[in-house]
Amino acid sequence: MQYNASGSSAARQSADCVIVGAYTKRGLNSAASAIDEASGGYLSKLAKAGDLPSNPGASTLLRDLKGVKARRVLVVGLGPKNEFCIKQLERATESAIRALANTSVKSVALNLGSNSERFDEPARVTSASIAAVHRAVYRFNQLKSSKARTRPSKINKIVFGFSSRAACNKAKAEFKTADAVAKGVALTKDLGNLPANVCTPDYLAKTSRQFARDYKNVSVQVMGMKDLKRMGMGAFISVTQGADTPPRLIVMRYKGAAAKEAPVALVGKGITFDTGGISLKPPATMDEMKFDMCGAAAVIGAFKSVAMLQPNLNLVAVVAACENMPSGNASRPGDIVTTMAGHTVEILNTDAEGRLILCDALTYTKKFKPKAIIDVATLTGACVIALGEHFSGLMSPNDGLANDLIQSGVEAGDTAWRMPVTEEYQSRLSSNFADFANVGGRPAGAVTAACFLWRFMKDQNWAHLDIAGSAWKTGAQKGATGRPVGLLVNYILNKG
Ligand code: BES
Ligand code: MN
Ligand code: ZN
């Protein structure tokens, strides 16, 4: 994808299609007004006749307007003017690009937030729009034979229309980062969408290992069962032991600053398929448990974005990857295992496996003496119940880190909502037979899962992102979202 910014009037922009907006009640945005003027009031005429879309997402494609340089003008509904915000801008942009999917349009000039009176933040407009365009052009066709494939988008160039040179420059400064984030997001989606018979722990390892060849300052280490045993990762081993597919512990390091600079560390849950184990899940939507590695995929995607951008900082990304399967070797409810940190854990439910692989991966990650450790996991169904799909759950005992992550999410349009991790909840994890249990019952299930991890992160600047609701969509739109790559990369670039 190529990007540019232009200060010329929408009527003078050269692109296959100029995209402008219409608010509810016949309100043209400033770019649409410019088109209207140049074309001798054509858009006003349409508006008067009730033929202009104004509902969010609706659009009309016009051709060969008098006085307009571009051959096509797409008018997109923006909804009520006083409700227009960055989220609406993203939605309108995404549907505009989708509306052009089956046309021959290759280059577009985007004027939805850019020329608009509503925003004076060209940087936010630009990064949000680039994310939205990439959402619209994303396809997952690699496992379909040719007839079943959805047509790839031809769009390969976006020009942002802004009213001043200064705004254009602010937009241009965002192109590189936003494009790197989009590529990280696309990789995260691909990994998530791939089924468990393709995207195995070793597939994640091979994808990560490629980074060491593709990018400067990157090293990747991949470990297997022998290493897990050597390091005493009894909790991780208890999850993988029922599977025939071998586990992987993947460590990616990016060194963009002096070795004495403490890195930020990301840790991802990479359960490539979660059957629940002996505490078997019901069949109805079990296919979606191929997405149980979306935390790992986000960590890998964020790492890719950072490696592409080569910023002046250090980053460590650790992925714990295995399958959770029932078998004669699988762990049983009631089994007690010893973690790398030395705690014993009673596995009351083998379906609470994410925390078991993560606790050992988190303990391992301490060895890098990171300034912050952020784990990312599709950890609990309870988080889906609590927050649904719009916010990732964020748990952290560290206010500074929590606030930074929330802020990063807001700026990236990839939001998280803070939930508690406090001592009151810890008693839910008590066990009669071991140091503690791996489940705390139904109340506050997302919180008690975080409390389990917290026991391994005392004295660490640590945060946990539960992305069970945000990492993929269910139903007709089923597919990975690539979240929270935007939040993570924004955080790393600002605070790393
Ligand atoms: N991967 C699941 C969490 C999940 C479930 C994410 C549904 C998205 C949709 C996790 O391993 C799990 O099974 N958690 C259990 C924990 C329970 C046994 C305490 C859950 O949420 O039911
Ligand atoms: Mn599970
Ligand atoms: Zn799981």
Side-chain angles (χ1 to χ4, degrees), residues 198-218:
V198 177
C199 187
T200 59
D202 198 51
Y203 187 95
L204 294 176
K206 290 202 166 100
T207 304
S208 307
R209 209 186 261 133
Q210 186 61 33
F211 296 154
R213 293 186 277 269
D214 289 348
Y215 306 110
K216 272 187 290 181
N217 302 317
V218 169

Side-chain angles (χ1 to χ4, degrees), residues 269 274 281 289 292 349 351 353 378-381 439 468 472:
K269 170 180 173 182
D274 182 11
K281 285 182 180 295
M289 284 298 114
D292 210 19
N349 190 323
D351 198 10
E353 84 297 340
T378 50
L379 205 61
T380 64
V439 293
W472 75 90

